[in-house]
Amino acid sequence: MADDRSTAALQRRSLDAVWHPCTQMARAERVPPLPIARGDGPWLFDFDGHRYFDANSSWWVNLFGHADIGINAAIKKQLDTLPHVMLAGCTHEPAIRLAERLSARTGGALGHVFFGSDGASAVEIALKQSFHSWRNLGQSEKREFVCLRNGYHGETIGALAVTDVAIFRDAYDPLLMRAHIVDSPDSRLGNEAAALTALRTLLAERHAHIAAVILEPLVQGAAGMVMHSPDYLRQVRAMTREFGVHLIADEIAVGCGRTGQFFAWQHTQPASADQWPDFILLSKGITAGTLPLSLVLTTDAVYRAFWSEDVTRGFLHSHSYTGNALACAAANAVLDRFDAGQLQHNAEQASQLAEAFAPLAKHARVAHLRQQGMILAFDVEAAPAGFAEAFHLAARRHELLIRPIGRTVYLMPPYLIDAHVARWLAEAVRRTLADLFPESDVA
Ligand SMILES: *Cc1c(COP(=O)(O)O)cnc(C)c1O
């Protein structure tokens, strides 16, 4: 029994022993998790010989497919050399190279790299560094943070305080520090000017108390792939400079080529160091879905605020696996791909997706078909209660693993699209919609 690997037995054992993330376990009894036996490229295989296209890249982490030979080889090589050593008092080449290469990708504007373990820890690090740097500069009253409506920055207590997604936040609200939440820009609403005005009003009034603004550049992921323009970001940068407030660009989801540039921020075409944010956060894709790692890139100005003979003015923050060498080796292998022209491939793949999904815009239930690089999303009109789960389950029957956010269906696939795959994906989505809404089919 203990080693029964049939689907039903694995589901039972998982429900008994594994407390699944982001899951009401009572519901999981009715919709048990899908046991996955192995992954190969964009495909996941279950124990009954079925395959599923991983359209959400396993929570947005997987860039080049599962069990990628090159990434795996880099990890295996590192495994035989030095799997891990602590990064306080010691250092190692994979971490040094990774920090140098990421810093070079900002043109040196963010030349100091702090290592964390996952996305939420990167957010915690940036919030602490922002507050502490102001404090070290004698401005300890700057200890408030500003985040955007519906923004998502992770689920530890500090990260949740700057997250505005009710379903994750409400139960813990009494525990959270208070943050300012300002309206977010949303291409569907055409409200960028109003969102900028709201931010300006807040900064004008509270800037002496505000340490930083945190946002997800170009695409608010967990909000349901809500998009805005690079111009909004340029204006926020100018405004935060004007009022002496840090800007934290959370690129945990949108970094690593997802939007068409390596950093989403590059869409703003920063012409000088002061047009970059004060912090950029990376995680998720940086190891291509192999190992947990996050990075906080920051400026000379922030770094120098901690520089002192006084230990307590230093940034005394660490995680046991800070700068893990295996994860750094994976990340360096990811950067090798970008050095070898990955962004050109992504541009082609993004246009293949656009072309294949264009006909879906005519579907009576489909609204706001939108795309930013390798993120494609649409909203479903008049979606019934339970739509996300129903769509997820129906899609599995068409070999598609996809998890809508509310009534927003999105694809954030591994960078393994070609014209044929793009058409296959669009057809699988159309068939799934046809299963749920037979009267509106556009075949
Ligand atoms: C996923 C995500 C996080 C949190 O990362 P974890 O690794 O899940 O802690 C933070 N910010 C954004 C924008 C994310 O998408």
Side-chain angles (χ1 to χ4, degrees):
M1 193 53 202
D3 52 4
D4 188 341
R5 292 167 88 212
S6 72
T7 292
L10 286 167
Q11 287 176 327
R12 186 66 260 153
R13 287 167 56 199
S14 194
L15 290 171
D16 288 345
V18 179
W19 195 338
H20 287 268
C22 207
T23 300
Q24 169 49 270
M25 292 303 290
R27 277 183 85 100
E29 288 288 336
R30 267 175 289 131
V31 186
L34 184 63
I36 300 298
R38 65 187 181 88
D40 185 6
W43 297 101
L44 293 165
F45 296 85
D46 70 13
F47 286 82
D48 300 326
H50 301 121
R51 63 173 198 171
Y52 307 90
F53 190 99
D54 191 358
N56 298 159
S57 296
S58 285
W59 262 349
W60 319 347
V61 300
N62 192 298
L63 301 192
F64 309 118
H66 295 273
D68 177 88
I69 291 169
I71 306 290
N72 282 7
I75 295 170
K76 286 174 186 167
K77 188 164 169 231
Q78 188 62 40
L79 186 61
D80 288 333
T81 315
L82 175 73
H84 181 73
V85 64
M86 63 185 182
L87 206 56
C90 297
T91 193
H92 56 78
E93 208 186 346
I96 298 167
R97 277 194 71 220
L98 179 58
E100 288 173 346
R101 296 170 84 185
L102 289 173
S103 150
R105 283 184 171 273
T106 70
L110 292 101
H112 303 277
V113 180
F114 198 93
F115 290 78
S117 309
D118 48 35
S121 65
V123 171
E124 302 279 344
I125 288 162
L127 298 179
K128 285 175 70 177
Q129 285 186 340
S130 172
F131 161 74
H132 197 170
S133 65
W134 290 123
R135 194 174 101 134
N136 282 346
L137 295 170
Q139 292 188 263
S140 50
E141 68 287 357
K142 283 170 90 69
R143 55 196 184 82
E144 296 172 9
F145 295 97
V146 181
C147 58
L148 298 193
R149 177 92 47 220
N150 303 319
Y152 179 89
H153 301 288
E155 292 163 50
T156 55
I157 300 285
L160 203 52
V162 291
T163 287
D164 181 44
V165 179
I167 195 164
F168 300 135
R169 185 192 155 103
D170 282 0
Y172 309 101
D173 191 69
L175 303 181
L176 304 180
M177 89 179 152
R178 299 292 109 193
H180 301 281
I181 300 170
V182 293
D183 277 350
S184 53
D186 182 338
S187 61
R188 296 169 299 184
L189 306 176
N191 65 342
E192 284 191 5
L196 285 164
T197 305
L199 180 61
R200 171 169 283 281
T201 305
L202 174 66
L203 292 181
E205 189 185 312
R206 287 301 291 176
H207 64 92
H209 300 271
I210 292 173
V213 173
I214 184 167
L215 52 72
E216 299 158 84
L218 290 190
V219 185
Q220 288 186 295
M225 304 303 153
V226 176
M227 301 184 181
H228 57 255
S229 75
D231 189 57
Y232 169 82
L233 298 172
R234 273 192 289 268
Q235 307 250 20
V236 171
R237 178 64 287 192
M239 214 184 273
T240 45
R241 288 249 179 257
E242 180 185 338
F243 288 106
V245 165
H246 288 146
L247 178 60
I248 303 171
D250 177 349
E251 299 222 5
I252 290 166
V254 295
C256 302
R258 186 51 75 180
T259 65
Q261 297 281 357
F262 183 80
F263 295 112
W265 193 267
Q266 290 172 273
H267 288 276
T268 69
Q269 300 177 307
S272 58
D274 67 344
Q275 292 177 0
W276 284 84
D278 301 282
F279 298 88
I280 291 184
L281 316 183
L282 288 178
S283 187
K284 291 209 164 94
I286 190 63
T287 62
T290 56
L291 290 155
L293 178 71
S294 63
L295 304 118
V296 177
L297 281 63
T298 193
T299 61
D300 238 13
V302 169
Y303 181 75
R304 269 189 326 224
F306 291 84
W307 183 271
S308 164
E309 287 305 317
D310 178 354
V311 173
T312 65
R313 289 171 65 97
F315 189 58
L316 306 185
H317 181 108
S318 61
H319 299 280
S320 307
Y321 281 92
T322 291
N324 175 253
L326 292 175
C328 291
N332 277 309
V334 167
L335 294 188
D336 291 344
R337 298 289 172 89
F338 285 94
D339 289 349
Q342 185 66 43
L343 289 176
Q344 271 113 297
H345 299 311
N346 284 20
E348 281 162 37
Q349 296 180 34
S351 61
Q352 284 156 345
L353 279 178
E355 196 172 316
F357 277 79
L360 214 62
K362 294 199 282 290
H363 193 287
R365 294 278 188 156
V366 171
H368 302 297
L369 182 63
R370 55 195 182 274
Q371 189 179 358
Q372 175 68 59
M374 295 295 280
I375 305 175
L376 182 141
F378 60 86
D379 303 333
V380 171
E381 299 274 29
F387 165 77
E389 185 175 279
F391 189 94
H392 168 70
L393 292 175
R396 278 196 208 169
R397 292 195 293 273
H398 301 289
E399 299 189 321
L400 188 60
L401 198 72
I402 192 165
R403 283 170 54 110
I405 300 172
R407 63 191 191 92
T408 300
V409 175
Y410 72 92
L411 286 93
M412 210 152 149
Y415 306 159
L416 294 170
I417 304 298
D418 60 24
H420 171 79
V421 170
R423 281 195 298 272
W424 181 89
L425 283 167
E427 180 61 10
V429 167
R430 184 193 67 76
R431 285 178 190 217
T432 305
L433 284 170
D435 286 355
L436 300 181
F437 310 115
E439 76 292 348
S440 321
D441 194 23
V442 287

